Amino acid sequence: MKEIIKLETIAETHQFLGIGNPKHPLISVLRIGEVLRQLEVDNVKYSLGLFQVSLKDNCPYTLVNYGRNSYDYQEGTMVFSAPNQVLEFKKAEAIEKDKGWTLVFHPDLLRKSELGKKMEKFSFFSYSSHEALHISDDERETISDIIQKIEKELSNNIDAHSQTLIISNLELLLNYCVRFYDRQFFTRTNLNQDIASEFEQFIQAYYRENKQLELGIPSVQYCGESMNLSPKYLSDLLRKETGKSTQDHIHKYIIEKAKNRLLNSKESASEIAYSLGFEYPQYFSKIFKKKTTMSPSEFRNSLN
């Protein structure tokens, strides 16, 4: 088994790459094509205690494993990773000029900022590598301009305004990535519809095979992994396509099955709850009332 190289700080990352001391202790832009060509490592597994945003452009390394997937992502694509995810890189053929970059920043950079409170909004940090962001030339220019502003700010002497300006540009970068992912979801509508349909078939098969009796209600994590998608990506995709998250779809399917059982059997609400995979009938009743405004017994009695 390969040893995982763990790098917890910006300084440790710079030291590992041999590129000198960072200009800021909590954020850095790495333009490391030349450095990587000389780095005598191959098939490297590493874990960063940092957020990472990367644009590939003639990089001499290829991302071969990220989470549960292998992926050779194309030029002009972006990948994102949250702290402590394990990635694996393999050395590729050397190329003359590398225009790509990697932005890394420590969670502490955002601790007391408004951006820190919004990071869950940027769900692409939990996507898998094959769910990368593919950007156009115009989009690349927009992103690169922001990276240059961050680099320029890091090159200046740190003053009372540095932190605010760096974080403002970082938030601008992430907001543009949200926009570009929305564009990507929209332009891949047919593919997204296929996945939405596949998800519905997956839920139907799960209950047809009575997996809920052993595994309980399917979790968002289980659904994503079973479909070879990250849970966040699946939820975002379904929300863009249908207006409902993965959890909403799961609950909708369960409630429809529960309604049929309530109207067409004499089973108690508790019996129905257990048969649908609920560990606690009270939780079933709570979800049912939230979705229908009535308790299971009220729903049954309302149509008798």
Side-chain angles (χ1 to χ4, degrees):
M1 182 178 294
K2 296 174 187 174
E3 180 182 358
I4 298 175
I5 298 171
K6 293 187 177 181
L7 305 171
E8 298 295 334
T9 66
I10 299 292
E12 288 176 358
T13 303
H14 274 242
Q15 183 179 10
F16 173 72
L17 295 171
I19 54 177
N21 295 328
K23 297 175 181 178
H24 191 288
L26 297 176
I27 185 170
S28 184
V29 178
L30 309 174
R31 295 185 181 270
I32 52 179
E34 291 301 323
V35 176
L36 287 176
R37 281 186 191 85
Q38 316 203 7
L39 197 62
E40 293 302 321
V41 291
D42 199 3
N43 290 317
V44 177
K45 275 190 175 182
Y46 76 92
S47 172
L48 283 180
L50 311 169
F51 287 97
Q52 181 174 241
V53 180
S54 295
L55 170 69
K56 177 169 180 178
D57 192 337
N58 291 345
C59 179
Y61 274 78
T62 297
L63 181 63
V64 293
N65 276 297
Y66 175 33
R68 301 171 62 248
N69 300 285
S70 295
Y71 185 66
D72 182 3
Y73 64 112
Q74 302 169 347
E75 309 307 321
T77 60
M78 296 180 67
V79 291
F80 308 79
S81 64
N84 303 316
Q85 293 183 354
V86 177
L87 299 91
E88 182 177 352
F89 283 82
K90 181 177 181 180
K91 199 162 189 177
E93 182 181 351
I95 303 172
E96 283 187 17
K97 192 172 183 181
D98 176 17
K99 298 178 183 177
W101 44 261
T102 294
L103 171 71
V104 288
F105 57 97
H106 196 282
D108 285 351
L109 177 72
L110 312 177
R111 292 289 184 211
K112 297 181 181 180
S113 70
E114 287 300 311
L115 178 56
K117 301 174 185 177
K118 302 175 186 176
M119 284 304 290
E120 287 189 2
K121 162 187 172 183
F122 306 110
S123 51
F124 43 73
F125 280 106
S126 297
Y127 288 179
S128 294
S129 59
H130 67 298
E131 299 153 354
L133 174 60
H134 304 270
I135 57 176
S136 67
D137 289 342
D138 285 345
E139 291 169 346
R140 181 205 297 248
E141 185 175 344
T142 297
I143 293 293
S144 296
D145 284 347
I146 300 172
I147 287 294
Q148 289 172 11
K149 286 184 173 68
I150 293 175
E151 283 184 304
K152 184 175 181 181
E153 198 58 44
L154 292 174
S155 297
N156 295 334
N157 291 327
I158 295 178
D159 60 24
H161 305 283
S162 299
Q163 191 89 341
T164 299
L165 291 170
I166 289 170
I167 291 176
S168 294
N169 278 293
L170 176 57
E171 183 170 6
L172 181 62
L173 170 72
L174 298 179
N175 281 331
Y176 268 111
C177 290
V178 171
R179 167 184 275 184
F180 298 155
Y181 255 118
D182 280 353
R183 184 269 309 154
Q184 183 164 296
F185 280 124
F186 179 77
T187 56
R188 298 185 175 193
T189 298
N190 289 339
L191 174 62
N192 295 348
Q193 287 176 339
D194 289 344
I195 293 176
S197 175
E198 182 184 342
F199 175 75
E200 292 301 325
Q201 293 173 20
F202 169 80
I203 291 295
Q204 291 170 11
Y206 185 92
Y207 276 91
R208 185 169 60 250
E209 296 166 10
N210 288 320
K211 290 184 178 179
Q212 79 279 9
L213 300 180
E214 177 185 355
L215 303 176
I217 298 170
S219 67
V220 176
Q221 181 83 19
Y222 179 88
C223 293
E225 290 180 353
S226 297
M227 295 178 66
N228 200 31
L229 296 170
S230 65
K232 288 284 189 181
Y233 188 86
L234 177 59
S235 277
D236 288 350
L237 186 152
L238 289 173
R239 190 177 284 108
K240 301 295 181 188
E241 191 62 34
T242 67
K244 297 181 183 298
S245 68
T246 307
Q247 190 75 75
D248 291 333
H249 279 271
I250 294 169
H251 285 166
K252 180 175 182 288
Y253 181 81
I254 290 172
I255 294 304
E256 289 305 312
K257 284 187 74 68
K259 286 180 179 178
N260 289 333
R261 298 278 284 277
L262 286 166
L263 296 180
N264 296 296
S265 77
K266 295 182 179 180
E267 295 174 290
S268 67
S270 293
E271 288 173 324
I272 292 173
Y274 289 128
S275 70
L276 291 173
F278 285 90
E279 186 175 0
Y280 303 106
Q282 299 91 332
Y283 183 49
F284 163 67
S285 297
K286 180 179 179 181
I287 292 177
F288 192 94
K289 188 164 187 176
K290 180 179 179 181
K291 298 296 182 181
T292 67
T293 71
M294 292 183 282
S295 69
S297 59
E298 288 171 340
F299 176 80
R300 174 177 268 167
N301 293 333
S302 69
L303 297 176
N304 286 337

